[in-house]
Amino acid sequence: MSMKVKDMNRVLNIDLTKKDIKIEARGDLFDAYLGGTGVAIKLLEEECQKGIDPLSASNPIIFAVGPLTALYPSASKTVAMFKSPLTGNLGESHCGGRSAMAIKFAGYGAIVIKGSSDIPVYLAIHGDDVHFRDASSIWGVEAVTVGRILREAEKGSGVRTIMRIGRAGEKMVRYACAVCETYRHFGRLGLGAVMGSKKLKALIVSADKSVEIPKATRKEYKKVYDEIQDVVVETDAMEKYHDLGTSGKLYDLNKIGGMAYKNLESASAPEEIAKELSGENFAEKFLSKRVSCSHCPVGCVHLASLRELYEPGYYFKTSIISYDNEPIWATGFMLGMKKAEDCLRLMDAVDRVGMDVMSTGVTLAWATEAYEKGIITKEHTDGLDFRWGDVQVYSEAIIKIVEMPNEFYQNLAKGSDYASSVYGGQDYALAFGGNEMPEYHTGIACYLNNLTGARHSHLDSAGYDLDQKLIGKEFTIEDIVNALLKEEEWRQILSSLVVCFFARKVYTAEAITKALDAIGMENWTAEKLDDLGRDIHRAKMDFKFREGFSLAELRIPKRIFEVPTPHGFLKEEDIRKAIELYGEMIGRKE
Amino acid sequence: MAKKKLAALDVNKCIGCMECMFACSRRVGRGGFDKSAIRVRSAGGIERGFVIVVCRACENPPCAKVCPTDALSARKEGGVILKEDKCIGCGFCTQSCIMGAIFWDNERNKPIVCKYCGECEDYCVHNAIGMVGIKAEER
C-alpha cells in the first residue's frame, strides 16, 4: 500500500489504560515543525501536564520520525520524547536500528503512548493493525531474550523494529534504557523506566506501506538522492565511522588529556591502558561484524565477539556485544578497567538488565570514589568491595542496582546526582542537570554543553568538538556561548528531519531544502529552517523551565576545576558567567 | 555486451542497510520496498549476519515451469521474463521458488521478479552484491 508524501503526518495515539487507539492526521504539526524533535515537543506540550510524576500514567511517550526518514541516506533515527525520571524535565533520546524505517512505513509520523496498563503488555503495531498483547510471560525477561521471543511470535521479519526493556526498566531504575534490534538503544534519560512504569515491556512496529514520490519530482528525487549518497559515502564520515567506528577517537582524546579517567581523578589514562582500550585494539581483537541502521550506508555499529570459558568441562559461550566510544569510556576509562574484554563483559552485563551504560558507569565511578573516601561502607554496598578495575564487583553491583536489596542501591538506581545528595560527595558526582556526564574534559565548551544543553547530552551542541577545534586559538566566552547555541538550534532541524548527527556535514541547509523540494515539500528556505531550529529549541527550554529547571541553580561538581583540561584549569566564575550569558541569549533569567 | 545477473558476492560484507531494497523501488518512484525484487533480513538475529534474497537467474527456472499461463518464461541467459498481461496472479511462482526470491505486488496482484538491471548494485557501497556474468567464465 502506498501513501502520499502529504499523508506522512499520521499520529497513532495509544491509550494503555483503556487499551484503545486512535489515528489522527496532524498536518498542522508536521507542516509547521517538520517531524522528529519539532513535532515531538509540540505533542509533549499537548500531552504532558505540568508537574506530573514522570513514572505515573500521566507521562506520555512520544516516538517521532520526519519527512526525510527512510527516503534519504542516513535519515535513520527515531526521536523519543517524554518527561525524564532522571532529570525531572525534558526527556529526549534518539535511536536508530530499524525503528525509524519501521515507524515511517507502518504509516506514521509519530506514535504517542499514554496511560498505564494493569497487566504487563506489549504492543504489536503492524501498519494500521494495532494489538495489545499480554506480556506476562516475558515480564522479568532480559531484553535480548525478549527480542528472540517476539521475533518468532510476531510477523514482519526484516522490516520491523522490536523495542523492549530489560529488568532495569521494569524496576524503574531512573536511567533504564529501551533497546532496539538488540544492539541499539534509546539510551539516555530513562525511557526504559517510563515504559516499565506503564507495564509496557515492548513494542514491535512492522512496515507495510511505502511513500509515493510525486510524479513531477521523481527525477529530481533520484538526482538529489544520488548527490546526498555520494557525499555520505565520500566524506570522512564513512571512513571515520565505518572503519573503527565511534571508538576510533578514544586514543587521541586520551592523548590530549581530554577525557575523564577514574571519575576524573585525571584527564588521561596511562599509555598502556589507553592502548588497550583503544578502538584499534577492540577492532583487532574482538570486532566480528559491522552493521548499519536501516537506510544508512555507513555501518557504524560495531559488534564484538567474546569467547569465554564459563564452566569447567569445555563449556564455552560466545557473546556478541555492541561497543562504541561512550560505552568503552564509561565501563573502561571511568571505572579503571585494565583489559578490553572486561569492558565488554561490563557492557554485556549492563545490556542484559537494560540500563544506560553512561549513567551506569558514572554512577559506579562516584560510588567507588565515595567508598574509597569512606562515606560509603560495606554495609551500604551489601558486602561488595568497590575497587577500580574490578569487573566482578561491578558486574554484581549492576545486578544489585536493579534488584535493589537495600536503600543504598535504591538510591544508586536514581543516579549519581541523587545518591550524592543523600550520602555526600557531590563535589565528585559527575552529573550535570541531573544527567551523568559523557567522557569529555576538553574545556569550557563541553561543560557548558552538559549544563545548558536541553538534554544535557554531549550531542546537544557538541561542546567537546568546539573545545578541540579551539586548542591554541584565542576566543572569548561570548564566542563559545554563541557557537554552542547556534549549533544546538541547528541540530533541532537535523533531529526533526530526522537525520543522524553523523551525517550532519552532508545535510547542509541547501541539501535539506533540495531534499524536501524533491519529495514535493516546497517553500522551505535556509532562513525558515534557521527560524524553526530556534523555535524548537526555545520550546524545549520552555518545557524544561516549566518543569522547574533553573540555570542559576545548576550544580557544578568541583572536581572539574581540579584537573586541567587541554585548555588548562577551568574556572567556576567563567562557567557561571557563560551560563548567565546563555540565559540572556535565550531570554531566560531564572 | 554479455548478459549479466545480480548476485550476492559476499554476504559477510552486508551491513544490512537495505539500500539495495530502497533503490529497487525508487526506480518506479517509490520510497520504500514494496516494489522491490531484493530483500535483506537478518539470519535470525543480527549477530548471525544477513540473508540477501535475490533471484539467482536459474538456468531452468522452477517458477517458469509452474506458471499456468506462460506469463513467466525462461530467459535465454537464465532467469525469467514476466509478461504481465498474461499473469492471472495465482502465486504458484512464489511457492515454487525455494529461495523466496519472487516477491509479490499486493497492489497489482502480480509477482515482482528481478530484471537484472543492476540499479541496486550502485548503492551497495560495501560490495556485498554485484552484477556478474551469466556464464562462469565471465565472472
Side-chain angles (χ1 to χ4, degrees):
Chain A
M1 199 173 101
S2 73
M3 54 182 171
K4 305 255 190 263
V5 170
K6 65 175 174 52
D7 296 328
M8 299 192 301
N9 60 24
R10 298 195 317 160
V11 177
L12 170 62
N13 289 283
I14 298 171
D15 187 329
L16 290 171
T17 308
K18 295 180 184 155
K19 317 277 186 300
D20 195 12
I21 69 147
K22 193 170 74 183
I23 298 172
E24 277 180 301
R26 292 300 304 268
D28 58 326
L29 291 184
F30 283 87
D31 291 348
Y33 298 95
L34 291 170
T37 300
V39 165
I41 186 62
K42 291 290 142 186
L43 287 168
L44 192 70
E45 281 172 8
E46 287 178 15
E47 303 292 348
C48 183
Q49 286 176 11
K50 187 180 171 183
I52 55 132
D53 174 357
L55 297 175
S56 71
S58 317
N59 195 8
I61 297 172
I62 294 147
F63 294 106
V65 296
L68 301 193
T69 298
L71 295 181
Y72 287 99
S74 305
S76 52
K77 293 255 182 171
T78 304
V79 170
M81 224 181 254
F82 47 95
K83 182 172 173 180
S84 167
L86 186 64
T87 64
N89 56 64
L90 181 74
E92 181 186 340
S93 187
H94 302 171
C95 183
R98 288 182 176 151
S99 60
M101 174 279 294
I103 292 171
K104 171 75 149 229
F105 293 132
Y108 303 110
I111 298 173
V112 179
I113 302 169
K114 293 180 277 192
S116 174
S117 177
D118 48 350
I119 57 158
V121 288
Y122 78 87
L123 290 163
I125 303 167
H126 299 297
D128 288 9
D129 264 348
V130 182
H131 304 273
F132 296 83
R133 307 239 210 252
D134 191 339
S136 302
S137 50
I138 49 171
W139 197 253
V141 174
E142 288 176 348
V144 58
T145 313
V146 171
R148 281 190 195 150
I149 293 166
L150 295 187
R151 201 184 288 149
E152 301 293 323
E154 294 291 338
K155 64 180 181 181
S157 171
V159 295
R160 66 186 172 189
T161 184
I162 305 178
M163 304 178 186
R164 66 269 194 177
I165 57 169
R167 289 277 293 144
E170 293 174 14
K171 297 289 292 286
M172 293 179 265
V173 172
R174 301 298 196 267
Y175 42 93
C177 67
V179 184
C180 289
E181 286 63 91
T182 313
Y183 303 113
R184 297 287 89 193
H185 310 82
F186 287 100
R188 310 228 69 193
L189 298 172
L191 176 62
V194 180
M195 283 176 69
S197 75
K198 297 182 176 308
K199 289 210 167 59
L200 176 62
K201 181 70 179 174
L203 64 154
I204 171 164
V205 185
S206 74
D208 67 347
K209 297 181 185 67
S210 64
V211 174
E212 199 178 324
I213 306 300
K215 275 210 173 75
T217 62
R218 272 181 203 176
K219 263 198 180 148
E220 185 65 13
Y221 170 56
K222 194 171 177 323
K223 191 173 147 253
V224 176
Y225 184 102
D226 288 349
E227 283 169 14
I228 290 172
Q229 170 86 355
D230 287 349
V231 185
V232 172
V233 174
E234 279 157 27
T235 53
D236 62 340
M238 194 73 184
E239 204 183 309
K240 193 164 142 193
Y241 297 116
H242 183 68
D243 285 8
L244 289 174
T246 53
S247 57
K249 65 182 177 185
L250 279 161
Y251 181 81
D252 289 338
L253 191 64
N254 187 74
K255 195 156 195 164
I256 62 165
M259 183 205 289
Y261 177 62
K262 291 208 281 204
N263 206 38
L264 198 51
E265 172 193 276
S266 75
S268 63
E271 175 68 11
E272 68 274 16
I273 302 266
K275 271 196 177 143
E276 172 68 21
L277 304 185
S278 67
E280 290 82 354
N281 191 47
F282 271 84
E284 275 162 31
K285 284 199 187 134
F286 301 107
L287 179 60
S288 68
K289 195 154 198 55
R290 285 173 291 190
V291 301
S292 76
C293 299
S294 294
H295 219 149
C296 177
V298 175
C300 74
V301 183
H302 282 53
L303 302 182
S305 166
L306 180 66
R307 178 175 177 261
E308 290 179 288
L309 181 72
Y310 70 98
E311 228 178 81
Y314 304 105
Y315 285 100
F316 287 100
K317 65 172 179 181
T318 302
S319 311
I320 307 294
I321 301 149
S322 79
Y323 68 89
D324 262 297
N325 167 48
E326 304 290 350
I328 294 176
W329 166 75
T331 58
F333 289 85
M334 200 58 166
L335 294 176
M337 288 300 141
K338 294 193 175 67
K339 288 212 160 303
E341 55 257 52
D342 285 343
C343 294
L344 290 172
R345 288 187 185 106
L346 276 189
M347 285 177 218
D348 196 37
V350 173
D351 246 357
R352 287 186 180 281
V353 296
M355 296 195 294
D356 174 35
V357 68
M358 293 164 73
S359 283
T360 306
V362 175
T363 300
L364 287 174
W366 168 81
T368 307
E369 185 166 345
Y371 185 80
E372 270 185 345
K373 292 197 156 69
I375 62 170
I376 298 298
T377 66
K378 256 193 184 162
E379 222 161 291
H380 293 108
T381 64
D382 198 27
L384 291 185
D385 199 8
F386 278 56
R387 208 169 35 205
W388 302 116
D390 193 329
V391 67
Q392 189 55 40
V393 164
Y394 288 130
S395 300
E396 286 175 42
I398 285 162
I399 290 168
K400 284 185 195 291
I401 288 173
V402 177
E403 298 303 333
M404 303 180 206
N406 63 20
E407 204 182 294
F408 173 69
Y409 286 102
Q410 283 169 19
N411 292 330
L412 225 47
K414 291 179 182 169
S416 55
D417 199 42
Y418 184 83
S420 64
S421 76
V422 176
Y423 302 101
Q426 289 237 305
D427 289 351
Y428 50 89
L430 295 166
F432 297 82
N435 194 18
E436 281 71 23
M437 75 179 282
E439 72 206 65
Y440 309 99
H441 186 67
T442 45
I444 189 170
C446 78
Y447 287 110
L448 280 172
N449 171 146
N450 297 348
L451 288 158
T452 61
R455 301 183 288 154
H456 307 285
S457 152
H458 61 294
L459 296 173
D460 281 333
S461 50
Y464 62 94
D465 194 35
L466 182 60
D467 279 332
Q468 291 175 72
K469 282 181 182 146
L470 289 174
I471 291 175
K473 294 197 178 117
E474 295 262 322
F475 57 88
T476 65
I477 288 175
E478 283 81 356
D479 296 339
I480 299 267
V481 178
N482 256 321
L484 290 177
L485 183 58
K486 204 165 167 238
E487 181 68 24
E488 186 165 5
E489 287 169 356
W490 177 247
R491 286 183 177 220
Q492 306 314 310
I493 295 300
L494 300 178
S495 61
S496 296
L497 289 167
V498 177
V499 299
C500 178
F501 288 163
F502 290 171
R504 62 186 177 272
K505 289 181 189 157
V506 179
Y507 284 94
T508 59
E510 195 197 345
I512 292 167
T513 50
K514 275 170 85 173
L516 289 169
D517 258 345
I519 55 172
M521 291 177 64
E522 292 153 9
N523 303 324
W524 284 94
T525 60
E527 200 186 353
K528 253 178 91 175
L529 292 173
D530 275 342
D531 289 346
L532 181 61
R534 192 178 319 112
D535 289 350
I536 295 170
H537 176 257
R538 296 304 187 273
K540 283 165 66 168
M541 293 311 287
D542 286 349
F543 181 86
K544 286 174 75 76
F545 282 102
R546 193 194 84 178
E547 296 301 325
F549 175 73
S550 158
L551 288 169
E553 285 168 25
L554 276 167
R555 184 179 73 78
I556 308 177
K558 295 266 180 304
R559 173 60 46 83
I560 72 167
F561 305 114
E562 296 164 359
V563 177
T565 72
H567 290 277
F569 284 100
L570 299 176
K571 291 195 209 94
E572 177 156 6
E573 64 203 66
D574 288 346
I575 294 191
R576 292 284 177 202
K577 191 180 149 203
I579 293 171
E580 212 181 300
L581 201 60
Y582 175 85
E584 281 166 23
M585 282 184 196
I586 63 166
R588 288 281 184 176
K589 291 271 160 64
E590 302 101 298
Chain B
M1 199 178 84
K3 291 271 187 182
K4 293 198 164 190
K5 68 168 185 177
L6 187 70
L9 300 177
D10 184 352
V11 77
N12 289 311
K13 286 187 181 162
C14 178
I15 58 167
C17 69
M18 304 163 86
E19 285 219 359
C20 53
M21 293 164 60
F22 292 113
C24 192
S25 283
R26 199 158 55 243
R27 290 174 313 125
V28 293
R30 282 290 168 90
F33 35 74
D34 61 352
K35 301 283 182 184
S36 300
I38 183 168
R39 285 290 154 98
V40 174
R41 58 176 169 78
S42 79
I46 290 161
E47 61 277 8
R48 293 190 183 147
F50 294 98
V51 176
I52 302 171
V53 184
V54 64
C55 177
R56 294 195 68 238
C58 308
E59 273 182 35
N60 196 3
C63 54
K65 283 187 241 174
V66 298
C67 180
T69 62
D70 290 330
L72 275 179
S73 55
R75 180 170 164 258
K76 206 167 71 194
E77 304 85 3
V80 286
I81 297 166
L82 173 68
K83 290 198 185 77
E84 289 202 340
D85 50 354
K86 282 189 170 185
C87 175
I88 56 171
C90 68
F92 290 174
C93 50
T94 60
Q95 292 170 39
S96 73
C97 180
I98 60 168
M99 322 295 293
I102 297 193
F103 302 94
W104 202 253
D105 186 335
N106 286 318
E107 289 171 357
R108 305 171 63 233
N109 198 33
K110 291 195 194 296
I112 300 170
V113 295
C114 182
K115 295 184 168 72
Y116 323 108
C117 70
E119 179 78 7
C120 54
E121 177 198 30
D122 294 343
Y123 296 90
C124 184
V125 297
H126 301 286
N127 302 315
I129 56 168
M131 298 297 282
V132 296
I134 296 282
K135 291 183 196 136
E137 63 267 26
E138 290 168 6
R139 285 174 208 171

